[in-house]
Amino acid sequence: IPSFLMFKKDADAVKAELRANHMVQIEMTWALPSPDDRVEYDLWTTPSDLVSRDFQKGFKDVATALGDRAYFTPHMYIYDGIKSHCQGADGENMCFNLCTNNGRYCATDPDNDLDHGISGADVVRESLRRICIWKHYGESDGVGKEWWDYVAEFLHRCDTPDYFANEDCVADAYKHASVDKDRVQRCMLDSGGLEKDAPNSFLDLEMAAQARRGVVVLPTAFVNTVALRGALTADMVFAAICAGYLDGTEPKICQQCSKCPNEIDCVKAGGKCSGGSGGGGGSVSAHTFFVTLFAICCAFGGVGFLHWRKTRDDMREQVRGILAEYMPLEDSGDGVMNGSPMDFARGGGSTGLIG
C-alpha cells in the first residue's frame, strides 16, 4: 500500500480536522532546498550508536577537505525525562540509571542491562561531553577537526562496557585528539552539570532542536535540510553534500572526486582518483590509449588474415576434390586414357580444361 510519513505537528492538525468531520485533501510534493555556494549538514546520533560508527570514524578527511565550503553541526539525541515520567512529583529519578539530573535527561541502555555495562546516564554524560567539545573546537569554523579526532579516539579506545565511562580512558582520548580536558569539564559544569535537579542549557537546546526538526530515526543526517537516514556511509554523505551546491559553485574536491569509484580514497589522496572517470591522476593518457588501441587493431587484423588464408586454402582443396571427382576422362583415340583423373587436380589446375 503506498504510504508516506508526516511530522507529528503536521499530522496533529490533519487529525483535528478529521475528528471535526471536515473534508481533508493532502497534496504531496517534492521541493529542493535553495542551494548556494555553501552546504550545511547535520548529524543526529548518540555515543552508543552502532550504525554511524564507521561514518564518524572516517569522515574527518572529507570535512577538512570541504573546509569553509560546508558547515557541519553534530547533535546528540536526548530523551526528555520529564515527558517520559522519569522524574517523580517530588523530583526523584524514577528511571534508575537511565537518566541524569534527577530524571530530566535520559538515554536508552545500550546493552539492555541496568545492573551492568553502559548505562543511559553514561550515554547522556558522553553526549554532553561531545557537545562541549564541539562548542570549543568546531562551532567557529564548522569543520571541527579536534571533534572528529576525539570521536575516533573514543571509539577506538573506550567504546566497550568496561571503558565507556572510564575517566582515564576519556582523558587518553582527550590527549590524542589535542583536546583540553579542563576546558571541556568547565563547559559541562557551566551548562548546568549532570548531578543536580537543575536544567542543563545545552541538553535543553538539543531537545528543542530535535523537536523542531522532527527527528525520530537514528542516525539521521541532514544536508541542506534534506534527511538521509539509515546506514550512513562517508561516500553517501559526501555525494549528498556535493549535490547540494548551486551549479558551478562546487568546491574543487567535489569536481575531482564525485565521479571516482572510491570517493573517500580520492579525498584522502588530495583529489587524485585511483581509477575511474574522476578528475584525479588515475585517468589514462592519450598516448597509452592510442598505443593500446593500435595493438588491439593489429591483433584482430592478424587473426583475420590467418583466418582468411585458412579459408582460402580449404576452398581450393574442396574445388580440387570436386574437379578430380567429376572431370571426364580424355581418350587419345587409340583407347588409352590420357593420364589419371587426379592429374588435373594434382597440377593445381594449371592445365586447361579445353585442349
Side-chain angles (χ1 to χ4, degrees):
I1 299 175
S3 61
F4 63 92
L5 297 175
M6 297 177 63
F7 289 126
K8 185 177 184 301
K9 61 181 180 179
D10 298 323
D12 288 341
V14 174
K15 290 192 292 184
E17 292 297 318
L18 292 173
R19 289 193 181 103
N21 202 28
H22 294 160
M23 182 69 70
V24 175
Q25 181 177 349
I26 299 176
E27 179 182 3
M28 182 172 63
T29 61
W30 285 264
L32 294 175
S34 300
D36 51 24
D37 62 352
R38 191 180 84 159
V39 169
E40 289 77 32
Y41 65 109
D42 307 350
L43 172 66
W44 285 91
T45 183
T46 68
S48 58
D49 176 24
L50 300 178
V51 178
S52 66
R53 180 183 297 175
D54 291 339
F55 167 77
Q56 294 184 70
K57 285 181 178 179
F59 202 73
K60 184 192 79 170
D61 292 314
V62 177
T64 304
L66 292 169
D68 60 1
R69 300 298 307 280
Y71 189 93
F72 172 63
T73 305
H75 292 282
M76 300 293 123
Y77 193 94
I78 305 295
Y79 288 91
D80 189 332
I82 295 177
K83 288 185 178 180
S84 301
H85 305 290
C86 282
Q87 187 178 65
D90 57 355
E92 183 182 358
N93 182 2
M94 306 295 292
C95 292
F96 193 41
N97 61 359
L98 296 179
C99 307
T100 65
N101 302 74
N102 283 37
R104 288 176 178 268
Y105 310 107
C106 307
T108 56
D109 191 302
D111 40 29
N112 296 315
D113 186 346
L114 296 178
D115 297 318
H116 304 92
I118 306 168
S119 68
D122 294 335
V123 176
V124 174
R125 182 177 301 277
E126 180 60 25
S127 297
L128 179 59
R129 181 179 290 118
R130 295 187 186 185
I131 292 170
C132 280
I133 293 173
W134 179 257
K135 291 290 183 184
H136 287 286
Y137 292 94
E139 193 173 54
S140 60
D141 62 3
V143 176
K145 176 181 175 297
E146 291 82 1
W147 186 89
W148 292 105
D149 284 339
Y150 170 80
V151 171
E153 291 294 338
F154 183 91
L155 292 174
H156 174 63
R157 301 172 186 279
C158 311
D159 194 27
T160 64
D162 293 333
Y163 292 100
F164 191 94
N166 186 289
E167 291 297 327
D168 291 335
C169 187
V170 172
D172 198 32
Y174 281 145
K175 179 181 177 181
H176 285 85
S178 301
V179 171
D180 188 334
K181 173 183 175 180
D182 295 335
R183 194 177 185 183
V184 175
Q185 288 182 330
R186 283 197 304 271
C187 170
M188 295 174 68
L189 291 173
D190 292 344
S191 64
L194 297 170
E195 307 302 331
K196 299 178 181 179
D197 181 13
N200 183 289
S201 59
F202 289 161
L203 298 183
D204 282 339
L205 288 173
E206 290 298 288
M207 290 193 302
Q210 72 195 33
R212 286 195 306 272
R213 185 71 88 173
V215 178
V216 294
V217 177
L218 295 179
T220 297
F222 289 91
V223 178
N224 278 356
T225 72
V226 176
L228 306 175
R229 297 185 176 92
L232 298 177
T233 64
D235 288 322
M236 176 201 302
V237 177
F238 175 67
I241 291 172
C242 289
Y245 290 98
L246 185 68
D247 288 342
T249 67
E250 300 89 348
K252 187 177 180 181
I253 196 66
C254 287
Q255 298 171 4
Q256 293 172 323
C257 298
S258 61
K259 295 182 180 180
C260 188
N262 194 320
E263 296 167 327
I264 304 307
D265 284 349
C266 175
V267 172
K268 291 179 178 179
K272 296 180 179 179
C273 181
S274 56
S277 58
S283 59
V284 178
S285 66
H287 177 266
T288 302
F289 173 77
F290 285 111
V291 168
T292 304
L293 181 63
F294 177 76
I296 293 174
C297 291
C298 289
F300 276 102
V303 171
F305 177 75
L306 292 175
H307 178 72
W308 173 79
R309 284 192 60 180
K310 184 177 185 303
T311 303
R312 185 193 64 178
D313 292 342
D314 290 344
M315 184 64 71
R316 284 181 175 177
E317 290 296 326
Q318 291 176 11
V319 170
R320 289 171 184 168
I322 292 171
L323 292 175
E325 184 175 353
Y326 292 101
M327 178 63 61
L329 300 177
E330 292 185 3
D331 192 336
S332 61
D334 54 2
V336 180
M337 297 293 183
N338 257 347
S340 167
M342 293 298 293
D343 287 344
F344 177 82
R346 291 195 185 98
S350 58
T351 304
L353 293 179
I354 300 176

